[in-house]
Amino acid sequence: GAVVSQHPSWVICKSGTSVKIECRSLDFQATTMFWYRQFPKQSLMLMATSNEGSKATYEQGVEKDKFLINHASLTLSTLTVTSAHPEDSSFYICSAERVPFTDTQYFGPGTRLTVL
Amino acid sequence: AQTVTQSQPEMSVQEAETVTLSCTYDTSESDYYLFWYKQPPSRQMILVIRQEAYKQQNATENRFSVNFQKAAKSFSLKISDSQLGDAAMYFCAYGETSGSRLTFGEGTQLTVNP
């Protein structure tokens, strides 16, 4: 149990376009999901916390207008990178916390974004 | 703010031997969680082991065990009978009880030599 999927697994887009990444908890409900960014050979940096039915909470330094997060159901959160630029190229990982709370996050397989 | 430090960027171990990965953290909280996650080349984050700070007993999961020293704010991971499949990047993480935010260490790249 506790499987989290992400779609797409990789995406290449042109500079200035928007890209949506989906995160789904497949076999459990998640009131809280998290979005991370990971650069090569570096650790995971939390971007935002996504709560079902409410606005996301962004970490300091993360542009909320650039990284739009929607958590419309107990099994789906989406991250939209708006007007993407080459510096947005990275590995984006989501995680979900199982309901009832277990204080343990289960991670998706990640999405590699390349902006040309 | 909480910080997590992994002082060993790289470690290596012979197959079937034992290796210990170090992790220290800083917090003013008394209740929290600590985790070790494994990230193989596929980059899928896999939960290895979890420890609640209020529990004195060290967590164990098969070949994986931790040495949790709350006063010293130390949380090391011991891997016994190392296997080739254990080769990966290992991240230590601190988890808040309120809001469940995770703070990760820099990671330790573990190589298992046959």
Side-chain angles (χ1 to χ4, degrees):
Chain A
V3 178
V4 178
S5 70
Q6 275 184 248
H7 178 79
S9 56
W10 59 270
V11 57
I12 301 173
C13 70
K14 293 182 178 180
S15 185
T17 61
S18 295
V19 174
K20 179 185 284 188
I21 303 170
E22 292 186 349
C23 176
R24 293 181 184 272
S25 55
L26 298 185
D27 53 0
F28 66 98
Q29 293 182 326
T31 56
T32 304
M33 291 183 171
F34 304 84
W35 287 95
Y36 296 85
R37 188 171 180 176
Q38 186 180 31
F39 290 107
K41 299 190 182 300
Q42 292 190 22
S43 188
L44 281 72
M45 297 295 295
L46 179 64
M47 298 175 64
T49 302
S50 167
N51 293 295
E52 185 265 338
S54 63
K55 290 184 178 181
T57 302
Y58 291 81
E59 295 298 303
Q60 192 171 7
V62 177
E63 300 176 58
K64 59 183 67 177
D65 293 333
K66 180 166 191 61
F67 298 101
L68 301 179
I69 291 173
N70 183 272
H71 192 158
S73 77
L74 288 173
T75 59
L76 174 65
S77 176
T78 59
L79 168 68
T80 301
V81 183
T82 62
S83 187
H85 291 283
E87 56 266 30
D88 299 324
S89 299
S90 189
F91 194 66
Y92 293 88
I93 307 175
C94 74
S95 70
E97 184 177 59
R98 188 203 293 258
V99 174
F101 297 120
T102 63
D103 294 297
T104 298
Q105 294 181 27
Y106 297 91
F107 286 81
T111 297
R112 181 179 301 281
L113 170 63
T114 301
V115 184
L116 302 177
Chain B
Q2 290 80 14
T3 59
V4 178
T5 302
Q6 293 178 247
S7 59
Q8 307 153 315
E10 298 177 349
M11 289 283 284
S12 63
V13 63
Q14 291 296 126
E15 196 174 3
E17 306 260 305
T18 297
V19 65
T20 299
L21 308 183
S22 300
C23 173
T24 58
Y25 59 95
D26 188 28
T27 184
S28 58
E29 303 293 330
S30 59
D31 197 16
Y32 49 88
Y33 298 88
L34 295 165
F35 304 86
W36 279 97
Y37 282 92
K38 165 185 176 181
Q39 188 178 42
S42 68
R43 300 190 78 173
Q44 168 75 61
M45 295 287 285
I46 301 167
L47 176 65
V48 174
I49 202 163
R50 172 178 182 267
Q51 173 83 43
E52 292 101 328
Y54 66 87
K55 289 188 177 179
Q56 293 186 344
Q57 186 174 7
N58 289 323
T60 62
E61 285 289 342
N62 301 314
R63 298 183 295 108
F64 299 88
S65 62
V66 297
N67 184 2
F68 173 46
Q69 302 289 328
K70 191 173 185 179
K73 296 179 182 175
S74 170
F75 184 63
S76 61
L77 174 70
K78 185 171 82 171
I79 305 174
S80 304
D81 185 25
S82 297
Q83 300 176 359
L84 295 177
D86 294 333
M89 179 72 85
Y90 285 81
F91 290 102
C92 177
Y94 170 98
E96 300 176 3
T97 55
S98 175
S100 302
R101 292 171 71 252
L102 285 181
T103 301
F104 285 89
E106 306 91 335
T108 297
Q109 181 67 51
L110 177 66
T111 301
V112 181
N113 300 308

